[in-house]
Amino acid sequence: MANGGPAYGLSWEVQQRIDKQYDPELEQILTQWILAQCGGIQLPEPTKQKFQEWLKDGTVLCKFINSLYPKGQASVANTDPSNKAFKQMEQISQFLWAAEQYGIAPTDIFQTVDLWEGKNMACVQRTLMNLRGLAVTKQDGLFVGDPNWFPKKSQENRYKLKEGQNVIGLQMGTNQGASQAGMTGCGSRQVMGTGLG
């Protein structure tokens, strides 16, 4: 956490769960894709903190989203680096707006503070993965990379999801022993002592 103080109690537990969702393997794959897509960008060191710092000012993200649009139709006009916090957050917001215009659902987009303060880098990874998937499906010739690639964890998760489709969980309930005895309709009065509605 860049600007927040230390977390304690429940806040600490929640942050630990969020941090466990971060995938270092996915970080490397996303980094390589961004570098291939944009070209001419410096490679960050392979750590969560360096990945966050690399994306934090919004410059890389803006150049990246512009690379997914045809030449002359860039969605973010200004991609100059800045040391000012407001300008950095503004560029992240511009990336998020452009990603939504590109077709990413608003529910799949991270919040500016998730990246800028490093609060939820796993959410940043998910947004970039969703963007990758959308870029592949558009088939407009602007995607750079292997369209058939998925990280190992993603392949494992897909397999688990397929297995889960064959199982009817107890959450679905059961109808054994179910009856409506004793139920009354809405608004009807129950006659006391008789059990009749």
Side-chain angles (χ1 to χ4, degrees), residues 4 7 39 41 97-98 115 122 131 143 154 163 168 191:
I41 296 176
W97 177 84
L115 171 58
L131 193 58
F143 174 80
S154 180
E163 280 183 351
I168 298 175
V191 179

Side-chain angles (χ1 to χ4, degrees), residues 155-172:
Q155 288 175 344
E156 291 170 9
N157 289 342
R158 283 180 169 198
Y159 180 71
K160 286 179 185 176
L161 285 172
K162 279 190 173 183
E163 280 183 351
Q165 290 174 349
N166 299 328
V167 176
I168 298 175
L170 291 177
Q171 292 174 333
M172 303 293 185

Side-chain angles (χ1 to χ4, degrees), residues 22-176:
Y22 187 80
D23 185 354
E25 177 191 352
L26 184 56
E27 170 196 313
Q28 291 304 307
I29 293 165
L30 289 170
T31 300
Q32 293 302 320
W33 178 47
I34 293 170
L35 291 171
Q37 191 72 40
C38 298
I41 296 176
Q42 186 177 356
L43 178 70
E45 292 179 33
T47 65
K48 178 180 167 183
Q49 183 177 358
K50 294 295 182 181
F51 184 65
Q52 184 254 347
E53 290 171 5
W54 185 56
L55 299 175
K56 180 180 176 177
D57 73 350
T59 306
V60 171
L61 291 174
C62 289
K63 288 179 181 177
F64 172 62
I65 194 71
N66 283 344
S67 74
L68 296 173
Y69 283 90
K71 294 228 185 277
Q73 296 181 17
S75 59
V76 180
N78 185 8
T79 59
D80 297 328
S82 176
N83 292 331
K84 296 180 180 173
F86 177 78
K87 180 67 175 167
Q88 292 175 350
M89 287 189 273
E90 182 182 22
Q91 284 194 310
I92 294 170
S93 295
Q94 288 177 351
F95 164 79
L96 296 174
W97 177 84
E100 191 173 340
Q101 297 304 307
Y102 191 74
I104 300 295
T107 55
D108 293 336
I109 294 179
F110 65 88
Q111 299 294 314
T112 301
V113 295
D114 291 339
L115 171 58
W116 202 81
E117 292 182 3
K119 298 247 183 213
N120 193 348
M121 290 302 294
C123 192
V124 174
Q125 286 184 323
R126 283 191 298 274
T127 299
L128 293 173
M129 279 304 298
N130 288 334
L131 193 58
R132 181 183 173 97
L134 189 58
V136 169
T137 59
K138 284 200 173 196
Q139 297 181 349
D140 54 10
L142 298 172
F143 174 80
V144 177
D146 180 10
N148 297 318
W149 165 89
F150 290 100
K152 289 179 187 175
K153 286 185 179 180
S154 180
Q155 288 175 344
E156 291 170 9
N157 289 342
R158 283 180 169 198
Y159 180 71
K160 286 179 185 176
L161 285 172
K162 279 190 173 183
E163 280 183 351
Q165 290 174 349
N166 299 328
V167 176
I168 298 175
L170 291 177
Q171 292 174 333
M172 303 293 185
T174 178
N175 65 353
Q176 293 178 341

